[in-house]
Amino acid sequence: RGPDSSGHWRSVDGQVHLGHRRLAIMDLSAAGHQPMLTADGRYALTYNGEVYNYAALRGELVAAGHIFASHTDTEVLVHGYEEWGLAGLLERVRGMFAFAIYDQAKGTVHFARDPFGIKPLFIHEDEQGLTFASEPKAVEAFLGRSLAINGHMLVEGLHHMLVPSPHTVFSEMAQLEAGRSRTVALDGSADTTGRYWHWSPSADVTDADAARELVWAKLVESVERHLVSDVPVGVFLSAGLDSSLVAAACAELGVKPTCLTLAIDDPQYDESPIAAELCALYGFEHWVKRMGPDECRRWNDQIGGVYDEPYGVSGALNALEVCGVAAERFRVMLSGDGGDEVFGGYGWYADWLKEYGVDGRGRSPWSKVRSAVRGWAGRRALPNDALAGYAQLVSAFTEREVAALFSPGVLGRSSTDSYQSLHTEARARGLTGFDYLQWLDMGQFLPDVCMSKMDRASMHHGLEVRVPMLDLGLVEAAGSIAWATRNPGLELKGLLKQVAREKLPASVVGKRKQGFAIKTSHWLPTETIVAEVLRDMQAGDWWRGVFHPQVDRAVAKLRGRQAWRFRQTWCWVKQHVGEDGARVV
């Protein structure tokens, strides 16, 4: 997925073939090309990502007698596996990654994905063997054919904005989940998958002053790690809390990066004046790019091709635009993504807690009656089940609305199915309040929706985006703080706001939360989408068997961004089934 070089390697027996497209960040010389092998040829690696503590690990390995031919983090992974094994390597690395290591002597291939799913890993298996890549399109290109589509996962994707791992929209392809590794023996004697990391919230820290000091120290430490690069590093500055704190941490370190702000061509969404104030405070160069309806519409029809699956987050439009602009001058940018999951910042947390109580079992009789009345009146209402309520708040769709959009033949999974294992484990751990909700988000929404958004958008432009808010040390530190201290009085990002009041201008701290998104209904109104769906229905039969016979009427009843989200699924199916001829199974 990088523009700088390409390489491939094939084992002598022809059983393993590794390929790579490089985006050169560390050690720009040919010594950093991949696939990378050890000097004796026993271990071969292909890898996507960055290991930010590679210098410290390299020092340990040199002391243990390893000889390096480059100054890349890639080579640290190869030698690290040789010295510590897979488990020992994964305990030590700090960064974002998806990699495959082939141990020729043992005849095994090891796959691993970083704890937060920042980097993706897709795997296809059939009688011919196993094919893996960073994107489904690469697998299809290698196989030379279109993959069959799983109809149930089309529905799942609309519920969750992207098909949740380990599934994909393709019936013959899966994802390695975040924080997992997999080992495959070529002779078929072993195939094991295990989780090597998961978020484990506790209540070790309850003092607010100590919590603020801990969070700020860990954030500065994280940003310092994430600035390590052999090319210039910029900062995406939206003027939101998270990206502003990342910029403030740069200032604390004495670093003055260029900050890029995407200014939405609408005063209601334009954050550039506040971002400019922050840059003036710290003496940063400020680069502003305006985005209007034309850019929105241009990227709108390309989302399906970039993401390879129906993707229902309007922030993808902004991400594709701002990454394209950044790539004109940079190869690496820092982003504030991840702060909402780590510090409890989503509005649906407050809605859910108000409706279901801290333990998820406290819905009042009056609340149930009110919800039932809304349902009888044909209005949207939250279900009595707390997990189903969470799923609805996240997706913005009710089960009834989804059922009216799709053919009965592709229905069959509930919106809560993909959450069940996360929910069961959260209950077993006794998680409540923000801990419970963040556990669900960390397990699914963060890797499958948020990280996918920026990963595909950035790599589409040959740009690396780093997320300091998801440094393992910072995340584990935040998780050690009691949720009542992280979110005092159920305040969204309450602790982080306290940190921000000490580090940022009042205009940033007091700003209404907006997020990196646009109001799609302004530029792509529901009436336009309904007309498009109706034209397509009259022009061909590709949609039959996938969508409901009266899907146009169902779309007309959708509210706000719901219609835009559905359109992403509709257009994706039209291209893959109506134009490319893929099957839905």
Side-chain angles (χ1 to χ4, degrees), residues 493-505:
K493 282 185 181 172
L495 177 62
L496 203 61
K497 289 176 182 176
Q498 293 174 21
V499 174
R501 289 187 188 103
E502 299 174 356
K503 306 295 179 181
L504 299 174

Side-chain angles (χ1 to χ4, degrees), residues 346-357 363 367 370 382 389-390 392-394 434 437 490 492:
Y346 287 118
W348 59 70
Y349 293 176
D351 294 338
W352 188 90
L353 290 166
K354 178 181 178 181
E355 194 72 24
Y356 299 102
R363 198 171 196 198
S367 175
R370 184 181 64 226
L382 286 171
Y390 168 83
Q392 183 173 310
L393 286 167
V394 174
F434 278 80
L437 296 168
L490 304 183
L492 302 178

